[in-house]
Amino acid sequence: MKECVLLLALALLSGCAMILGDVQPEIPDRDEALVRLEATAPCCQLLSELKYSVLEKGFDGRIFIDGSEPTFDFKTGRSFVKAFRIPDPRTGYGIVIESLLWNDQFFAPQLVVLNRSFQAVELIPPSAFTYMPAEGMDGDRLQYTLNLPPESGAAYLLLTTTTEALAGSTQYIHPARAYAKAQSLADPGVPDPYAQHSPVGVVELEIGGAYITPQADQKDFVESWLTSFWGTDAAETIKPSVADAEASARAVPDSSSPVIAPAAVAATATTAVAAAPAGSMLAETEALYNDMITKAVAARDIDKALKLVEEAERAGSASARPLFVEQVKTLK
Amino acid sequence: MANFKALPIAAAVVASLAAMSASAVEFHGYFRAGFGLNVDGGSQVCYGNGGPASHVVGRLGDECDTYAELSLSETVFEKNGESFSVHTLVAYGTQEGTTDLRGNSWQSVSDKNGGADGPWSGQRLSFREAYGKYKMKSGTELWAGNRYYGRKDVHINDLYYVNGSGNGAGVDNIKAGPGTIAVAVRNTKWHDVSGKADGNQPYATTPQLDLRYNGLGLGSAGALSLIAMFGKADLSDAQKDATTQYNDETGVQLTAEHSIALLGGFNKVVAQYSTEGYAWSGYGMNNHLGDGYNIGGYDNGGDTQLGRKSWRLIDFGLVKFGKKVDFAYMALYSRLDNPGSSKKGDRYGVTLRPMYKWNDTMSTQLEVGYYSAEDPWNSDEFNMNKIALAQTWSPLQNGGFWARPQLRVFVAQYGGDDAGQNGWEGFIIDKADTMVGAQVEAWW
């Protein structure tokens, strides 16, 4: 019997040794990472000089930002940069980005989407990320769903953070409280801690090939699992459009931020496609619209002028917008 | 800009579907399973259980059962800030105790004795929660049914120092001053003390009143919770006519709990005073205070609970030392005043569980425990010690000590003096002092 126990112990110990060998990159502590960030001179002046790695569809894994990355001085401050190239932008991408709570710290991501000429076409600030509490087998995380439809012109994606974000923190649910919830215990009354934001961290990327409904709008795991048995009912079929509507509704009041919610981008793009092709308008109607736009601008009724521009564009006018811009320039 | 036109419609659609979107099912649960061997031959021996007696020297390497809880809840109605929800929880397990009763893959989890032994039998396959809750706009909640209610535990000992679970009804979360009030009644059962004098009453009944004041903030000095419970046996006429050998006094249970954030974790101090039917559960590391009311009789030899009083002081918590070390601890002192005994009962214990994180998934955990009991009715002291070492794997970056699922491989060494109290001479002295095994524990 003692021999059996010894054998078992040996087998388990060898298992330990094997797993001990499988070490992930060490993520430095915030203070150390801040020093390293300050000490690392920017790699380059132009975004085109960054080294880009390919973002393959179907990738689902962790990106370790451990302070060995190049730095870049953005308008939002210096940051380590993970730079990705989107190999086939015309096929459309849906990307779920989750920054994991790591040693009680968060990397608060800023996403920069660049077009083929390395110009920013979309900027997702850290504030656009949603804190998701640990649930099931998922830990605490900051989450954002980035949809890049074919029309977005996206060719590159930068994973960065900002100086402003580094000064902040995110409050997360104390694990003792999550344990209490899982075990139907009384809430332990322990205050929820704050995770300081760090220049480094661990980010999970899930690269899909199509539109992804933001997780905040998704149904619960069990429900979707049950649905896989029972099939969808009418309510399920309606759901995606509700998600779209909600996303747009959220995006609109937030006009102060440069963020454009993915669904809103998609909706605008779809509308553009559905409109009549530019230049297909009757000359008489086009002249009529242009006259009305000129008058509206002269009367300083910009709202009305804009509505006319849009109406004209939907009807196929190619000259309405340049005319509007010209007219506005004449205003003093 | 087309978005602007679509907005009112979108808003209307969202509003009309709000009731539907509230229908997400919440899934929570827990399980532990594994195996253990006795180095002297045979299967693992365990000294504590999560039932009447908790793991007095810590639960690591001291759990001889397979156990699971599955919980499903759903908010079924939500309108104007009010909601109704239903909650269920079923528990499954092999028998828990000193003897390892884990069988083979096909083994049933139901109690071999069925429900004939008393209200706790068959507990390894049971319906622990079935209740409904009405949450009002003010945040106040009305509930009724069977539920885990306001349970408070020391995880490393599986010690439930307060447990208000059972069949009942109550009002929760009534705002009052800086905190909230919760009021509940529950109907608890004990063994029939009358020798089956009433064919319609298989158990003895004790209704309990449970009053709580939660979240009394003291600013940077932490927060206080106060609990008061009252119970009195309510036997049927036929039961009362048949016996006087039970406790019919009103029992009182008072608990004050102080919580404070400490060194990346927390510390809690719990002070308890329990009388009559509560005294036994509130003594030493006896468990589940409040989910039953001990009126004596049956296996306790008559009305031995009459006039008893117990005091218990617990300090426990979790602190962090840097990124690598998490440290869980528990210290307890308890006293029993037993009428008719010349001396008081004294029980105390300490359990420490430090954990060292090697990397993002693997850690080593050590658990050291000591426990002593000098009861009024025993001339000798019972004491026990343990040292357990485990290699554990879990997604550590998400919570260290709390990270689950956790796979562990353990070795545990026990020692002590049973003093003829549990029939453990053959175990903890020589026969069953070293256990090795593997276990998984998960919650979500």
Side-chain angles (χ1 to χ4, degrees):
Chain A
M1 184 59 220
K2 280 198 169 148
E3 292 80 357
C4 291
V5 171
L6 261 175
L7 272 175
L8 177 77
L10 268 177
L12 292 167
L13 277 174
S14 59
C16 303
M18 278 188 323
I19 292 163
L20 191 58
D22 180 24
V23 182
Q24 290 168 333
E26 181 81 12
I27 304 299
D29 209 44
R30 177 177 185 271
D31 293 347
E32 189 191 329
L34 281 172
V35 171
R36 209 182 285 186
L37 178 68
E38 206 52 49
T40 312
C43 70
C44 25
Q45 292 296 312
L46 299 170
L47 288 172
S48 57
E49 295 170 80
L50 284 166
K51 285 207 176 65
Y52 290 84
S53 56
V54 175
L55 205 58
E56 290 291 358
K57 263 184 195 168
F59 175 83
D60 184 0
R62 287 177 173 179
I63 305 290
F64 292 85
I65 304 148
D66 61 2
S68 62
E69 295 76 17
T71 66
F72 192 90
D73 282 336
F74 294 92
K75 278 182 189 161
T76 52
R78 183 176 295 181
S79 171
F80 292 116
V81 189
K82 284 279 184 192
F84 302 100
R85 185 168 65 83
I86 297 162
D88 192 5
R90 281 168 304 173
T91 57
Y93 279 74
I95 307 173
V96 180
I97 301 110
E98 295 190 333
S99 181
L100 310 179
L101 180 67
W102 204 267
N103 287 321
D104 304 335
Q105 291 168 358
F106 268 126
F107 173 78
Q110 169 178 259
L111 306 173
V112 187
V113 183
L114 307 174
N115 63 15
R116 275 194 303 179
S117 22
F118 296 97
Q119 285 163 329
V121 291
E122 202 171 339
L123 183 78
I124 317 296
S127 60
F129 280 72
T130 310
Y131 164 68
M132 312 280 279
E135 194 189 7
M137 297 301 157
D138 289 323
D140 295 276
R141 60 215 185 275
L142 302 174
Q143 203 230 40
Y144 187 81
T145 303
L146 176 67
N147 280 296
L148 299 171
E151 312 82 24
S152 67
Y156 303 97
L157 176 68
L158 305 180
L159 185 56
T160 70
T161 189
T162 69
T163 306
E164 190 190 350
L166 285 175
S169 58
T170 299
Q171 193 173 23
Y172 63 98
I173 293 178
H174 196 293
R177 297 186 63 207
Y179 159 73
K181 196 169 184 197
Q183 296 254 61
S184 300
L185 295 162
D187 188 280
V190 178
D192 288 327
Y194 287 85
Q196 282 190 300
H197 294 165
S198 172
V200 295
V202 181
V203 175
E204 271 183 6
L205 289 183
E206 190 189 329
I207 319 291
Y211 178 80
I212 299 175
T213 308
Q215 200 175 321
D217 301 322
Q218 275 176 15
K219 292 184 299 296
D220 187 82
F221 164 74
V222 173
E223 202 174 332
S224 51
W225 180 73
L226 291 176
T227 306
S228 68
F229 284 100
W230 296 340
T232 52
D233 56 23
E236 315 290 350
T237 341
I238 292 167
K239 198 82 181 185
S241 63
V242 177
D244 284 0
E246 282 173 343
S248 320
R250 271 201 307 275
V252 172
D254 195 17
S255 55
S256 60
S257 119
V259 191
I260 303 160
V265 173
T268 318
T270 318
T271 318
V273 170
S280 66
M281 205 177 191
L282 278 174
E284 292 88 336
T285 336
E286 194 164 0
L288 187 67
Y289 265 108
N290 288 351
D291 186 42
M292 286 159 74
I293 290 164
T294 310
K295 280 177 180 157
V297 173
R300 307 213 167 193
D301 191 349
I302 304 298
D303 276 353
K304 187 181 175 190
L306 258 177
K307 274 183 190 149
L308 286 165
V309 169
E310 277 148 18
E311 224 175 287
E313 282 186 336
R314 274 201 297 280
S317 168
S319 62
R321 196 165 290 267
L323 173 85
F324 169 75
V325 173
E326 281 307 309
Q327 294 295 323
V328 169
K329 278 182 187 164
T330 63
L331 286 176
K332 284 270 165 85
Chain B
M1 289 296 146
N3 274 326
F4 282 89
K5 280 184 182 163
L7 251 184
I9 303 160
V13 172
V14 170
S16 69
L17 288 173
M20 280 188 203
S21 65
S23 69
V25 175
E26 253 194 79
F27 179 42
H28 291 291
Y30 170 88
F31 67 74
R32 63 170 175 262
F35 75 97
L37 295 172
N38 184 336
V39 170
D40 278 336
S43 212
Q44 188 181 359
V45 172
C46 295
Y47 295 100
N49 59 59
S54 67
H55 300 270
V56 295
V57 288
R59 74 199 291 182
L60 187 62
D62 193 40
E63 291 177 308
C64 286
D65 65 334
T66 304
Y67 180 67
E69 290 181 348
L70 300 173
S71 157
L72 293 172
S73 300
E74 183 164 4
T75 300
V76 291
F77 171 91
E78 199 166 12
K79 202 175 181 183
N80 302 329
E82 303 210 315
S83 65
F84 282 83
S85 55
V86 289
H87 306 258
T88 62
L89 186 149
V90 287
Y92 303 85
T94 61
Q95 279 292 297
E96 190 180 24
T98 303
T99 310
D100 185 351
L101 287 169
R102 284 171 292 188
N104 296 334
S105 179
W106 303 113
Q107 186 187 32
S108 159
V109 292
S110 59
D111 185 356
K112 61 180 187 293
N113 294 319
D117 265 2
W120 293 274
S121 291
Q123 82 272 32
R124 307 311 274 174
L125 174 54
S126 59
F127 209 161
R128 300 265 172 96
E129 285 198 325
Y131 73 96
K133 192 163 76 179
Y134 164 38
K135 188 172 181 181
M136 298 165 215
K137 214 169 183 173
S138 60
T140 298
E141 297 169 355
L142 173 69
W143 67 271
N146 179 18
R147 71 180 291 192
Y148 283 159
Y149 179 76
R151 306 191 307 163
K152 291 168 179 282
D153 79 331
V154 181
H155 177 73
I156 56 174
N157 297 94
D158 206 5
L159 167 64
Y160 287 83
Y161 56 89
V162 171
N163 188 349
S165 302
N167 296 288
V171 185
D172 253 5
N173 221 19
I174 308 162
K175 285 186 182 65
T180 57
I181 290 173
V183 184
V185 287
R186 60 181 166 273
N187 200 24
T188 54
K189 304 293 175 73
W190 194 253
H191 305 282
D192 176 33
V193 288
S194 69
K196 296 181 181 158
D198 188 334
N200 289 323
Q201 302 287 338
Y203 312 127
T205 299
T206 300
Q208 293 188 42
L209 175 65
D210 186 315
L211 303 173
R212 304 193 183 198
Y213 191 80
N214 296 313
L216 177 60
L218 308 172
S220 59
L224 271 183
S225 280
L226 303 170
I227 303 172
M229 296 183 199
F230 306 92
K232 189 181 191 309
D234 182 27
L235 270 56
S236 74
D237 288 345
Q239 284 177 319
K240 275 194 274 195
D241 290 344
T243 182
T244 54
Q245 290 293 300
Y246 70 99
N247 188 336
D248 69 344
E249 294 295 319
T250 301
V252 177
Q253 203 299 304
L254 301 173
T255 297
E257 181 191 69
H258 176 259
S259 314
I260 192 165
L262 181 72
L263 291 172
F266 65 89
N267 184 75
K268 277 178 184 269
V269 180
V270 180
Q272 296 186 301
Y273 170 68
S274 312
T275 72
E276 307 295 344
Y278 293 112
W280 183 244
S281 297
Y283 178 44
M285 287 174 74
N286 290 348
N287 219 336
H288 293 280
L289 180 58
D291 72 349
Y293 185 84
N294 188 339
I295 62 165
Y298 190 67
D299 54 0
N300 289 299
D303 55 356
T304 51
Q305 303 303 321
L306 204 61
R308 273 187 175 171
K309 294 183 185 73
S310 68
W311 293 263
R312 183 158 69 183
L313 196 61
I314 313 171
D315 183 86
F316 73 100
L318 172 79
V319 290
K320 293 181 176 193
F321 297 110
K323 283 199 305 186
K324 294 291 187 190
V325 178
D326 281 10
F327 187 84
Y329 57 90
M330 187 284 316
L332 172 145
Y333 174 75
S334 180
R335 172 156 272 220
L336 179 72
D337 187 349
N338 191 48
S341 299
S342 55
K343 68 169 186 172
K344 307 265 192 255
D346 275 317
R347 293 182 173 187
Y348 61 92
V350 176
T351 304
L352 308 173
R353 198 201 278 195
M355 163 185 193
Y356 183 83
K357 294 177 251 183
W358 295 97
N359 55 37
D360 296 321
T361 48
M362 189 175 71
S363 63
T364 298
Q365 299 193 36
L366 177 74
E367 191 173 78
V368 180
Y370 180 78
Y371 184 71
S372 160
E374 282 185 80
D375 293 329
W377 48 88
N378 286 321
S379 51
D380 295 321
E381 179 210 6
F382 163 88
N383 68 68
M384 193 170 171
N385 60 68
K386 181 183 91 173
I387 177 160
L389 190 64
Q391 197 72 357
T392 59
W393 293 266
S394 56
L396 287 172
Q397 73 282 356
N398 294 334
F401 175 83
W402 299 106
R404 297 293 184 283
Q406 188 175 84
L407 314 182
R408 41 177 93 115
V409 181
F410 64 82
V411 53
Q413 170 81 33
Y414 295 86
D417 186 352
D418 187 52
Q421 292 178 28
N422 302 289
W424 285 350
E425 268 79 12
F427 295 132
I428 56 176
I429 300 304
D430 47 52
K431 273 280 185 197
D433 51 359
T434 309
M435 311 294 154
V436 293
Q439 196 188 30
V440 58
E441 183 178 52
W443 62 66
W444 60 91

